[in-house]
Amino acid sequence: MLRSLYNWTMDKAAHPHAVWWLAFFCFVESSFFPIPPHPLLGLMCLAEPKKAVKFALVATLASVAGALLGYAIGWGLYDTVGVWLIGALGLTEAFPVAACHLREYDFEAILIAGATPVPFKLLTITAGFVGMNLVTFVLSSLFARALIFMTVGILFRVFGAPIKQVIDKYLGLVTTAFVVLVVGGVLVLTQLGGSEDEEGGVCSSPPAIEAS
């Protein structure tokens, strides 16, 4: 079923309204859709490299808008929609861990999820559940999504179609390395300014998922 859904999503790259489909998939993927939009963005950039930055910008903004939907689900509908959705996506065991890390690192956790293969929807729903500061959430989501989507758009715009093989092979490594550097720097600064006696850095009792 996932393969059929993936093929259906990729078919939209040749649709007359492909940009709108891209926006739609980026929006829903941030909160509940299981298929990542990155391959669709790549196909569209491959077909029209001169519009690659435009496509990437659409993907970024739509993804952040979708992240707000995920946040809203976690904040106001967790006991009903949220619990079911987390379970349907197979993220039940990951949710307590995500909540733990969001409470401890918030911005850095969203950055990691948004720019790496970690399911972004897991963090958007969890952010709403733990009541993460909304401004911090939006800024970190924007930064993370722009990092990966705009990188693809700019590379296609500058180098054209031949860059596809390089992106396919190295994009994940490059973005992950960049995120590690940013997060590592922030954590170092945090540790230097914090107290070793505080327990805030320990996730001792993550929340459990219970449908009530």
Side-chain angles (χ1 to χ4, degrees):
M1 185 177 68
L2 282 177
R3 170 56 60 180
S4 298
L5 188 60
Y6 176 84
N7 291 337
W8 176 75
T9 302
M10 295 306 105
D11 286 342
K12 298 301 180 288
H15 194 278
H17 302 296
V19 175
W20 291 104
W21 279 109
L22 174 65
F24 171 75
F25 287 125
C26 288
F27 179 85
V28 297
E29 187 272 338
S30 292
S31 54
F32 63 87
F33 194 64
I35 305 300
H38 310 70
L40 178 60
L41 173 63
L43 287 176
M44 293 173 62
C45 291
L46 181 63
E48 297 185 86
K50 291 184 178 181
K51 296 183 179 179
V53 173
K54 172 187 174 181
F55 296 152
L57 181 60
V58 168
T60 299
L61 297 178
S63 184
V64 174
L68 288 172
L69 174 59
Y71 185 99
I73 292 172
W75 179 74
L77 299 172
Y78 173 76
D79 288 336
T80 53
V81 177
V83 171
W84 173 83
L85 192 54
I86 290 291
L89 293 169
L91 300 173
T92 300
E93 294 183 1
F95 176 82
V97 179
C100 171
H101 289 304
L102 265 177
R103 286 187 171 121
E104 189 172 357
Y105 301 116
D106 58 15
F107 184 94
E108 296 91 333
I110 295 294
L111 179 60
I112 291 171
T116 63
V118 175
F120 190 45
K121 58 189 71 63
L122 170 64
L123 270 293
T124 63
I125 295 173
T126 310
F129 175 81
V130 303
M132 179 179 175
N133 179 275
L134 190 57
V135 174
T136 302
F137 173 74
V138 171
L139 291 177
S140 57
S141 297
L142 183 62
F143 188 90
R145 299 276 86 176
L147 174 61
I148 191 165
F149 290 141
M150 293 304 295
T151 297
V152 172
I154 291 172
L155 287 175
F156 268 106
R157 182 65 182 87
V158 173
F159 298 103
I163 198 65
K164 181 180 184 298
Q165 291 184 346
V166 176
I167 290 177
D168 290 343
K169 189 173 183 179
Y170 297 111
L171 179 64
L173 293 175
V174 172
T175 55
T176 300
F178 184 80
V179 168
V180 168
L181 289 174
V182 172
V183 172
V186 172
L187 292 179
V188 168
L189 293 175
T190 301
Q191 291 300 317
L192 289 176
S195 171
E196 295 182 356
D197 296 328
E198 295 179 353
E199 295 181 0
V202 179
C203 296
S204 56
S205 55
I209 296 183
E210 295 181 358
S212 57

